[in-house]
Amino acid sequence: MSNLPLPIVAITIGDPAGIGPEITLDTIIEERVYQECKPFLIGSIDIVKRAMKVKKCNFEINKINHPSEGKFQYGIIDVLETGSYDCESIEYGKVQKLAGQMSYDYVLKSIELGLNKEIDVVATAPIHKEAIKLANCPQPGHTEIYGELTHSDYALTMFNCRNLKVFFVSRHKALKEACDYATKERVLDSVHQINKELVGIGLKNPKIAVAALNPHASDNGLFGTEEADHLIPAVQTAQEQGINAVGPVPADSVFHLGLQGRYDAILSLYHDQGHIACKTLDFERSITITWGLPFMRSSVDHGTAFDIAGKGIAGSVSMLEATLVAVDYWKMKQKNLAYK
């Protein structure tokens, strides 16, 4: 992997009214980032300068119009702007249409660059769902934007937390809907996608555990029929198709067993099932990877934190981790392709 060229990494600064500008600034002024990749910010220079004042950073800014113009040197912050905005009107900690439009534009620019193969990795700071809705963004969040606008067959969400790789059948759904959503077909599709992506980073015959929905995996039907109706058939079909799937494994133990190294990946059936496990284990280092796109995409798994925006106290561990972990996965993928 050391012989690989350094990947070009776009870091979107997120909603300018939130902590995104601060945590992306903290990330891009971290010296070891430059040892692993060629990073630049997609944002607005006036917003970056405001964050620099908050963080008491005096690095030089290099305005670029294209990643090829980046200097990628520690002490210089390469910034690619997406347009001219009334940045002075942006207030910290408030939902604003302009802030939503800016954050959406940053994402759109990263997609354009990714589709043109001008970048290898995108790491995204948080956007605000209400703000992008005010800006008439038709998608509810990052993953949907990237999935739809890259015309990908799927956008598969994975939580990376220490040695856990946790995937999700569904994400932002009401719990009652999510339980009904976890059908045999959808679980089987997810297992296939997980297997494909893990093989793509060099794992041979990865062991994939499907979490149960009901307590004790229903105890043979005592607490629900979802396991018998959907989850067991999905696992059995995956096994018949040559995939190393197991389960359903009771959700109160599957993550502990995964942490011990028993599984290469875990399929969580709904949002909180996997999020609670990972965030309790290590909140700051629970980051999101989106598989299935034409480029590697990662994100912090926290929000815009409007309550502390502009105060210089936001922790940047998650943003740094999101950037470096995405680079690691990109390198794994490239190494595996080179061996084929």
Side-chain angles (χ1 to χ4, degrees), residues 51-121:
M52 291 174 71
K53 186 178 288 188
V54 168
K55 303 297 291 188
K56 297 180 172 57
C57 170
N58 59 1
F59 281 22
E60 177 187 337
I61 288 181
N62 177 42
K63 180 180 178 180
I64 63 175
N65 297 306
H66 187 273
S68 62
E69 299 174 2
K71 294 185 178 179
F72 308 120
Q73 295 176 17
Y74 178 70
I76 299 175
I77 303 169
D78 296 304
V79 182
L80 192 155
E81 294 193 299
T82 57
S84 179
Y85 309 96
D86 180 13
C87 294
E88 289 188 7
S89 71
I90 298 295
E91 295 183 58
Y92 281 125
K94 291 188 177 181
V95 176
Q96 297 148 91
K97 180 180 179 180
L98 177 58
Q101 185 64 59
M102 292 166 73
S103 63
Y104 186 44
D105 289 348
Y106 304 153
V107 170
L108 294 180
K109 175 57 73 171
S110 75
I111 291 172
E112 175 191 323
L113 296 172
L115 290 176
N116 290 334
K117 301 189 183 305
E118 294 165 336
I119 57 174
D120 302 298
V121 176

Side-chain angles (χ1 to χ4, degrees), residues 312-326:
I313 59 175
S316 58
V317 173
S318 289
M319 193 72 238
L320 178 62
E321 185 83 355
T323 304
L324 294 177
V325 168

Side-chain angles (χ1 to χ4, degrees), residues 157-160 164-168 255 265-268 274 278:
T157 296
M158 183 193 86
F159 249 38
N160 188 95
L164 286 178
K165 296 178 181 64
V166 179
F167 294 82
F168 298 85
F255 301 102
I266 297 167
L267 179 58
S268 168
C278 290

Side-chain angles (χ1 to χ4, degrees), residues 17 43 52 73 91 106 111 121 130 132 139 154 171 187 196 212 279 286 290 297 311:
M52 291 174 71
Q73 295 176 17
E91 295 183 58
Y106 304 153
I111 291 172
V121 176
E130 287 181 57
I132 62 170
Q139 298 87 7
Y154 57 84
R171 296 172 63 255
V187 170
K196 176 185 175 183
K279 289 183 176 181
S286 292
T290 307
R297 182 252 163 174
K311 298 180 180 178

Side-chain angles (χ1 to χ4, degrees), residues 18 41 177 223 237 308:
L41 298 181
E177 289 179 31
F223 314 119
T237 302
I308 59 170

Side-chain angles (χ1 to χ4, degrees), residues 252-285:
D252 61 0
S253 58
V254 67
F255 301 102
H256 171 70
L257 296 172
L259 189 61
Q260 290 182 325
R262 297 271 290 274
Y263 314 120
D264 294 299
I266 297 167
L267 179 58
S268 168
L269 300 184
Y270 56 91
H271 182 280
D272 284 5
Q273 189 180 55
H275 279 236
I276 291 170
C278 290
K279 289 183 176 181
T280 301
L281 174 64
D282 195 333
F283 189 93
E284 290 186 315
R285 287 178 173 81

Side-chain angles (χ1 to χ4, degrees), residues 13 25 41 44-52 61 77 79:
I13 68 170
L25 176 65
L41 298 181
S44 302
I45 288 177
D46 286 346
I47 297 297
V48 174
K49 284 182 176 178
R50 185 167 73 167
M52 291 174 71
I61 288 181
I77 303 169
V79 182

